[in-house]
Amino acid sequence: MSFARPFLLAALLLWTGDLVAQVRSVATSDVFSRYADRVVKIQVVETGSAAKATIGSGFFVSGSGHLITNYHVISKLIHDPDRYRAELIDVAGAVEPVEVLGVDVVHDLAVLGSALRPRAHFALGSVRIAQGNRLYSLGHPEDLGLSIVEGTYNGLLPHTRHPRIHFTGSLNPGMSGGPTIAEDGRVVGINVATAGNQLSFLVPVDRAETLLDGVLTPGDEPPARTLEEVGRQLRDHQDAYLRDMFAGNTKMVDLGPYRLVTEPAPFFRCWADASRRQELPYEKVQHHCSTDDYLFIAGDQSTGVIDVEHEMISTKKLNASQFFSLYSSVFANDNTPGGQEEHVTSWACGTRNVRNASLPMRAVLCLRRYRKLGELYDGVLKVAVLGREDSGLVSTLTMSGVTFENVDRLARRYLERISWR
Amino acid sequence: MALILEVVHPGGGRSWHRLGDAPVTVGRGLANDLILDDPYVDARHARIALDDSGAPLIEDLGSVNGLIADQARVSGRVALRPGAEVRVGRTMLRFRDSDEPVSPAIADVSFVLAPAPPVVKPAVMLSRRARLRTTIAQTARTTWGRLAVVGAAASSIALYSWLGSSERSSASEALYAALAFAATVAIWAGIWAVASRVSVQRFHFIGHMAVASLVTLGGLAWTMAAEWLSFFFPDASLADVLSVGIGLFMLAALVAGHLALASGFSRTRQWRTGFAVAGAALLIGGLATLAEEDAFTDVPTFSGVVKPVGSDWLPTASVEEFSGVMATLKEQVDEMAKQ
C-alpha cells in the first residue's frame, strides 16, 4: 500500500558499489580532516545482551556535548527505555553514554546530551545555497568507519509534506543522523534517507536548529522525550494538515460515471492507469493518490500515510451475476497496511450499506489502534458503489497513524463526496 | 395346502403359526392358544375356527378394540383366505398359503451376520401429503431417481460456477466445475459403497452418490442464501450463526443418509450417529476458533459481498449512522489495546 516503503527498501537493497567516498578534489580530504572529529557514531545497545540494536551517526552542535541525530536512530530507546541504552563513539574510539533531550518525530530529528566536551562543534544556522553546489556528507555507512561522501545540492523536494533536501550523493544505512556540510563547514542538512542510485535526502538544518533551541532554552512546551510526547507531536502535526482535507474545495476527478476526490493536498501525488486486456471480459481503471513521505515510528512500522485509491471496473460482456461476483472479489481484496503485534492491535471491521445524498454504496471501515502511541489509529475505509449492473467502483481511503476524530471526520467527508458524475 | 398365520407384533417382530382344524384362541391372557403381548388386545380377544362348511374364519369375542379388516372395524366374523389381513389391537395377523414361494437365500461372503430386513409397517390411512412423501421416497429408491439427483447437483454446480465466472471461457469453466464435482462425489460414494458391501452385502453406489449430491445441493442453496443475507443485513451475525447450524445439520444429514444405505441402523440411530459426528465437528471447530480468537492478525475480515440490487428497496444507513458504527469499532480496538 505504502509507496514509501518500497522506496526505503530500495535504499537498503540496491546499494552495492561506490561505498567509499569519491576522492575527486583535494578539498574533500581537507574537509574530512577538518571536520571529522565533530562526527560520532551513535549506537543503541540492548541492555541485557549488550548487543548493538541500531547504528547511526550524529554530530556535536555545542561545546557542552549536545548532539544532533535522527529520531529513527534512537527510536528504540524512546519505545523501550528500560530495554535499551544509547552511547556515542567518537573519532578516537572513546565510548560515552548519551541521553535523549528532545525529539522531533515529524522531521525525524533528535537532540542528545553527553558528558563529553568536544574540542570543536558545528554551529547551526540557516544557509542559502544554490542548486548544483558541492556538499559533503559525513557518517558511518554500514558501521564501516567514518566516511565522507561528496555530492550535489539539488534543492528541496517539491512534493513532500515536510521539507526534504534532495542530495545527489550516496548515503547508506548507518549514515543517518550525520551532517551534510558545505566546503566551509556550514551544516546544510541532516542525512535521513535514500532511494538508491545517488538519490538521497536530508532534513534542512533549520529544523535541527529549532529543535536545539527548544532543548537549550525550553519555553512553555519543551521538546518531546517520551513516547507519550511523541504521540502528542504526531497528533498536533496531523490535526493541522488534516483539518480541511476532503472539505468543500477538494479537487474532484471523473472516472466513468463516478465523481471522486483526488489530490487531497498539494503534497499528494496521483497516478492513473487503465488495463484493457483482450483476454479479459472487463476493463479496470485505477486512480491512486498518496504522499511520498511518511513518519518513521519504530522497527518497520511507519505512519502518517494518507492514501486514496479508486478502482473502476466495467464490462460489456459479463451478465449482472458474473459481474457482481467479480466486483465482490475486487471489493474483498485486502489492501490494508501490514503491522506487528508489538505495535498495533488486530483490525476490527464494520460493514453497512450506506446512502449519501447521491448514491447507495457498501461501506466497510477497518480500524486498529497503536498500542504504545496513545490515541493513534490506522483506519481503512473501503467503499463499493451500488446501483449499476455493468460498472462498479471500489474506493479505498487509508489513514495511518491518525486520531479517531480524524478517522471519523475524513471517512464521513469521503463518503459524502462520492457521487454520480 | 395349509393356512399359515403370520403375526406381526407391535415392536416389528414376526412369528408364524401353522393353523390346523382345532380352534385357536387369541388374546393377552395366558390361557389362550396364541398369546399376544399388546396392551390394546383383550384378555380373550378373538377365536380362529372353521365354520360349518369347514372354511376358516376369525370371530370377535366381544373385545374393546374389535377386529380391523380392510381399514375398517368389523363386527362378528371375518372369513379367512390366503392374503387376508386382520388387525387385533396393534398386532397384525396375516394369513398366508404354506405353498407361497420365498426368494433364494443371499450368499453370505462376509460371514458377518446380516441385520434383519426392515420391518413392514401395517398399512394406515395416508393423507395426500403423506402419499406425496411416499411417492418421493419410492422415486428416490429407483436408480433413475437417484441419478436425477446427481444430475441436478452437477448442473447446479455448473450454473453456480458460470454465474460467478468473470473469465472469457465461462462455459468451459462451468463444465470443468461439474466434472470436478462428479469425480469427487464418485470417489466419495465409492468409499461408502465398499463399506456398504461389507456390512449389508450391497454396494448402493448410485444411492451414495445421490446422498452426497443431495447434501451438496442443500449446501449450495445455503451458500447463495447466506450471500444475500449478508448483503442485505451486513451488521447482523444472523447469517454466521445460521451457517454454523445449517452446516452441522448438513453434515448430520450426510452421515445419516449414507448410514441408511450402508447399515442396518434404525432411522433414529442413523440420525443420532449423524448428529454425534456433527457435534464432534462443532467441538473441534469451536476449540480451534477459541484458540485463534485472540491471536493477532494484520489481515482484516469483513463481508465484501456486493449484489446487483436496485437501490430502492435496499436497506441503507446514513453517513451519520455509519459514524456510529465507527464509534463502536473504536471501543473494540481500545479494548484490544488495553490487553
Side-chain angles (χ1 to χ4, degrees), chain B residues 1-6 16-19 56 80-84 94-102:
Chain B
M1 178 198 104
L3 200 61
I4 302 297
L5 166 60
E6 182 186 63
W16 289 265
H17 309 269
R18 182 179 297 271
L19 298 174
L80 299 176
R81 66 189 90 64
R94 269 188 207 139
F95 298 88
R96 310 178 74 158
D97 190 338
S98 60
D99 293 333
E100 198 178 301
V102 293

Side-chain angles (χ1 to χ4, degrees), chain A residues 5-40:
Chain A
R5 226 165 282 166
F7 212 53
L8 187 70
L9 207 60
L12 301 175
L13 298 179
L14 288 180
W15 191 262
T16 47
D18 293 324
L19 258 184
V20 182
Q22 308 93 316
V23 186
R24 236 185 271 142
S25 73
V26 186
T28 309
S29 60
D30 292 343
V31 170
F32 185 78
S33 58
R34 218 175 295 154
Y35 303 112
D37 58 351
R38 304 179 187 183
V39 181
V40 298

Side-chain angles (χ1 to χ4, degrees), chain B residues 10-324:
Chain B
R14 285 190 275 183
S15 56
W16 289 265
H17 309 269
R18 182 179 297 271
L19 298 174
D21 295 338
V24 174
T25 56
V26 179
R28 200 149 37 86
L30 300 182
N32 292 292
D33 300 308
L34 179 62
I35 304 161
L36 297 179
D37 182 17
D38 181 344
Y40 299 94
V41 168
D42 274 44
R44 286 184 78 250
H45 197 109
R47 195 169 71 105
I48 300 169
L50 301 177
D51 68 4
D52 298 339
S53 63
L57 59 82
I58 183 167
E59 63 176 337
D60 188 9
L61 300 177
S63 65
V64 172
N65 292 313
L67 302 177
I68 307 215
D70 289 328
Q71 297 173 6
R73 185 168 175 160
V74 285
S75 49
R77 307 170 152 196
V78 180
L80 299 176
R81 66 189 90 64
E85 292 189 351
V86 177
R87 220 175 86 191
V88 293
R90 297 264 168 112
T91 305
M92 180 62 79
L93 307 179
R94 269 188 207 139
F95 298 88
R96 310 178 74 158
D97 190 338
S98 60
D99 293 333
E100 198 178 301
V102 293
S103 58
I106 297 168
D108 188 358
V109 291
S110 68
F111 305 104
V112 171
L113 195 64
V119 173
V120 180
K121 291 244 172 86
V124 285
M125 289 280 278
L126 290 177
S127 69
R128 183 178 293 183
R129 237 174 79 194
R131 265 207 301 274
L132 181 68
R133 204 182 299 157
T134 315
T135 314
I136 291 172
Q138 277 163 358
T139 314
R141 273 191 207 105
T142 66
T143 303
W144 285 113
R146 290 171 173 182
L147 280 176
V149 173
V150 178
S155 11
S156 303
I157 292 273
L159 181 69
Y160 184 71
S161 154
W162 182 75
L163 286 176
S165 170
S166 52
E167 298 293 319
R168 275 222 139 157
S169 50
S170 51
S172 68
E173 215 178 309
L175 186 66
Y176 178 78
L179 287 177
F181 165 76
T184 314
V185 165
I187 292 169
W188 175 255
I191 296 167
W192 277 102
V194 171
S196 298
R197 182 66 180 87
V198 170
S199 89
V200 296
Q201 287 78 51
R202 297 275 308 268
F203 280 108
H204 291 306
F205 177 68
I206 306 285
H208 284 298
M209 291 255 289
V211 168
S213 299
L214 204 60
V215 171
T216 307
L217 268 175
L220 203 58
W222 170 248
T223 306
M224 296 208 253
E227 277 181 15
W228 282 93
L229 264 181
S230 84
F231 175 65
F232 275 104
F233 310 104
D235 51 327
S237 49
L238 180 75
D240 297 343
V241 176
L242 276 178
S243 275
V244 173
I246 288 175
L248 291 175
F249 176 76
M250 296 276 179
L251 181 59
L254 183 73
V255 172
H258 283 307
L259 285 179
L261 297 169
S263 75
F265 288 4
S266 68
R267 182 70 51 88
T268 323
R269 197 162 162 212
Q270 289 158 15
W271 279 99
R272 209 180 288 150
T273 314
F275 279 112
V277 171
L282 177 68
L283 191 71
I284 294 167
L287 286 177
T289 313
L290 271 183
E292 264 176 32
E293 195 158 59
D294 289 336
F296 171 78
T297 170
D298 63 356
V299 179
T301 43
F302 57 89
S303 157
V305 180
V306 278
K307 294 281 178 193
V309 169
S311 55
D312 295 340
W313 43 289
L314 180 69
T316 51
S318 67
V319 173
E320 275 312 310
E321 283 163 331
F322 191 72
S323 176

